[in-house]
Amino acid sequence: MVKAANSRGTAPGTPPRTRILVVGGGYVGMYTALRLQRRLRADEAEVTVVTPEPYMTYQPFLPEAAAGSISPRHVVVPLRRVLNRCRIVIGEARSIDHAKRTATVTTLATDEEGTGAIEIEYDEIVIAPGSVSRTLPIPGLAEYAIGFKTVEEAIGLRNHVIEQMDIASSTRDPAIRDAALTFVFVGGGYAGVEALAELEDMARYAARYYHNVTPEDMKWVLVEASDRILPEVGPEMGKYTIRELRARNIDLRLETRLEACENRVAVLSDGARFPTRTVVWTAGVKPHPVLAASDLPRTERGRLDCTAFLTVAGVEHAWAAGDAAAVPDITAAAGTECAPNAQHAVRQAKVLADNLVHALRDEVLTEYAHKYAGSVASLGLHKGVAHVYGRKLKGYPAWLMHRVYHLSRVPTFNRKMRVLAEWTLSGLFKREIVSLGSLEHPRAEFELAAGGGPKAPPPPSAPNPPKDDQR
């Protein structure tokens, strides 16, 4: 293991700069580093951001990116441009030894060098690695399912859906056609509902350009283990969403679980079987593994035990917010924690950065207090639901509020203008329905031309559906 070079070089007689390490480049990581570089002088501190990707993904825009309403490059914010006064390290934090004030990090170069992980020393640490998809030991899930948490997954899913329509249009096998046009989404939260609604809306539009595929040919299935969907928008708007989706012939199955998806057949706990080539898993998240690989206190659910000041409880010089932190909600009943969502994360980052600056300057810290304002969700073009400040909206007004709210929250003026321009153009021109699935294998054509052998065969087709159709 190699220690990272110490960049604390200062002139003799001057105090060393405080080394601040930010683990994670998501909502909390980016916004915290952005505020720190604005508020701290260059001679006060140096900020290092460790992140697996060189960009921050604005996840509420992933469904629209999948539907083609927004270009993928406008869903992400380049960290090197925004955090121009910070040191950006593209790598993965593997463990944190807070007692020694070191973090073990693997980078793109460590494997090439063969020297092992590096250790980054720090004086203050901000832990904001976000979360990872929570999966279950379901047969076939790892082999056939796709998540919906990154921009790569969103665009890959868009390409996949259009490719399935192409397969269905060209095959002469009814079983392959049926499986290609069956799309199963697992999870009735924001990610699952918005992804399904936007993609169904996109596929319905795309069907007009196929001579032998109609919207009625496609089967869209949403599987949710609880008795409701979109709990954030309240029971009334949740019931409206159910009615809206079922009116679009979407098969919504509550209190149902996915039990298997081996051999491209989705088996549900209610006995239904769906031959399908598409299973999208959005059934929750879990804390990032680096939290368990640290010596910091955690709650029963694996999140860092934090105070309302966004410090890690009982530990000095450690800060956390967002999905990784169990922050008490002082605006609610005792024992209530802030929900791990973007609304809290962005606001917590501001308070965290300010408190960190106050701590360095021996000033008074501020508690984080934000009463939940409500939620908005898109259900496709011109369709949505909202429950904001006690007001309930549905249809076009809710969809418009969804766009206005997230446009105001997406980082940087540059991104706001680009997204607004794309929305304007999409209102004037027709949707783009091109699949660029070859992006996932960019060297395939050259390998074939260079004599590298034929392209990889397509995935195996779904088996014939059961005779006693339980759908």
Side-chain angles (χ1 to χ4, degrees):
M1 184 175 294
V2 179
K3 288 192 176 183
N6 193 331
S7 58
R8 303 185 75 183
T10 56
T14 61
R17 296 185 296 171
T18 300
R19 299 167 299 179
I20 301 174
L21 176 62
V22 180
V23 178
Y27 290 108
V28 175
M30 192 204 75
Y31 279 109
T32 299
L34 183 62
R35 196 165 182 86
L36 287 174
Q37 76 174 9
R38 288 173 177 172
R39 296 206 55 190
L40 292 171
R41 301 187 308 272
D43 61 346
E44 274 188 290
E46 56 181 359
V47 181
T48 299
V49 180
V50 175
T51 173
E53 305 293 345
Y55 52 79
M56 186 275 269
T57 302
Y58 191 72
Q59 291 185 343
F61 279 161
L62 289 183
E64 291 205 50
S69 299
I70 302 177
S71 172
R73 67 183 184 277
H74 298 157
V75 177
V76 299
V77 180
L79 295 178
R80 295 189 188 277
R81 177 187 294 178
V82 175
L83 305 177
N84 59 320
R85 291 177 53 197
C86 299
R87 176 191 174 207
I88 308 297
V89 177
I90 305 303
E92 190 79 46
R94 299 297 180 181
S95 63
I96 298 171
D97 188 342
H98 191 62
K100 296 181 179 179
R101 302 287 195 276
T102 60
T104 302
V105 177
T106 57
T107 69
L108 296 175
T110 51
D111 289 339
E112 296 288 337
E113 295 171 345
T115 55
I118 63 174
E119 282 189 352
I120 298 180
E121 298 177 343
Y122 62 84
D123 300 307
E124 303 279 346
I125 187 169
V126 177
I127 306 171
S131 55
V132 297
S133 296
R134 175 175 59 85
T135 59
L136 299 175
I138 297 174
L141 186 67
E143 293 80 9
Y144 296 107
I146 182 174
F148 197 79
K149 194 169 173 58
T150 67
V151 67
E152 293 86 357
E153 289 174 329
I155 304 311
L157 184 57
R158 167 187 169 81
N159 292 332
H160 175 80
V161 168
I162 297 176
E163 285 177 356
Q164 299 313 301
M165 297 178 69
D166 291 335
I167 291 172
S169 176
S170 58
T171 184
R172 291 176 291 181
D173 188 327
I176 294 178
R177 176 185 171 89
D178 183 62
L181 295 179
T182 300
F183 308 95
V184 178
F185 287 68
V186 183
Y190 273 124
V193 172
E194 290 193 327
L196 182 149
E198 289 282 358
L199 284 166
E200 189 274 340
D201 203 42
M202 182 271 293
R204 179 182 294 272
Y205 175 86
R208 67 181 64 183
Y209 298 104
Y210 290 80
H211 70 282
N212 59 350
V213 175
T214 67
E216 291 71 26
D217 294 331
M218 293 181 278
K219 304 181 186 70
W220 298 83
V221 184
L222 179 61
V223 180
E224 168 55 39
S226 67
D227 61 352
R228 60 175 180 166
I229 63 173
L230 290 182
E232 297 87 352
V233 299
E236 183 179 338
M237 290 296 96
K239 291 178 181 177
Y240 166 80
T241 303
I242 292 174
R243 294 195 302 269
E244 165 70 18
L245 295 180
R246 285 177 172 164
R248 290 158 61 175
N249 292 323
I250 294 174
D251 188 350
L252 182 56
R253 295 177 179 245
L254 302 178
E255 298 182 283
T256 307
R257 300 178 306 279
L258 176 69
E259 293 194 337
C261 55
E262 291 180 298
N263 301 319
R264 296 193 178 276
V265 177
V267 180
L268 308 185
S269 60
D270 61 3
R273 296 169 60 88
F274 293 94
T276 178
R277 300 167 63 92
T278 309
V279 175
V280 183
W281 181 265
T282 64
V285 296
K286 63 182 180 181
H288 194 282
V290 73
L291 303 186
S294 74
D295 54 354
L296 298 170
R298 294 179 294 144
T299 65
E300 294 180 355
R301 296 187 177 182
R303 300 165 72 193
L304 293 178
D305 187 8
C306 294
T307 69
F309 298 104
L310 302 175
T311 60
V312 178
V315 179
E316 295 182 342
H317 310 296
W319 311 76
D323 291 356
V327 179
D329 188 351
I330 62 176
T331 67
T336 304
E337 297 176 358
C338 294
N341 56 36
Q343 185 177 144
H344 280 298
V346 173
R347 290 172 171 82
Q348 287 173 356
K350 177 181 177 181
V351 176
L352 189 158
D354 288 345
N355 279 347
L356 181 48
V357 173
H358 293 325
L360 295 180
R361 297 172 180 174
D362 295 324
E363 297 171 350
V364 178
L365 306 188
T366 304
E367 288 186 315
Y368 172 74
H370 171 67
K371 189 173 182 180
Y372 194 60
S375 300
V376 292
S378 171
L379 302 179
L381 191 62
H382 300 159
K383 298 176 281 289
V385 290
H387 188 186
V388 181
Y389 294 116
R391 297 192 62 184
K392 302 169 185 175
L393 300 173
K394 56 189 178 183
Y396 184 85
W399 172 82
L400 184 61
M401 178 176 285
H402 174 272
R403 284 201 160 183
V404 171
Y405 173 78
H406 286 300
L407 184 65
S408 70
R409 294 300 172 185
V410 68
T412 77
F413 180 77
N414 179 301
R415 281 294 174 273
K416 295 180 195 295
M417 291 300 99
R418 289 178 182 272
V419 170
L420 183 59
E422 287 202 309
W423 280 343
T424 302
L425 291 174
S426 65
L428 297 175
F429 301 100
K430 296 179 180 181
R431 285 181 188 247
E432 293 289 348
I433 58 168
V434 177
S435 167
L436 297 176
S438 59
L439 287 175
E440 299 168 22
H441 307 285
R443 297 189 66 249
E445 284 291 340
F446 183 77
E447 288 176 350
L448 182 63
K455 294 182 179 180
S461 60
N464 292 328
K467 294 182 180 180
D468 51 337
D469 192 354
Q470 297 177 342
R471 290 167 290 171

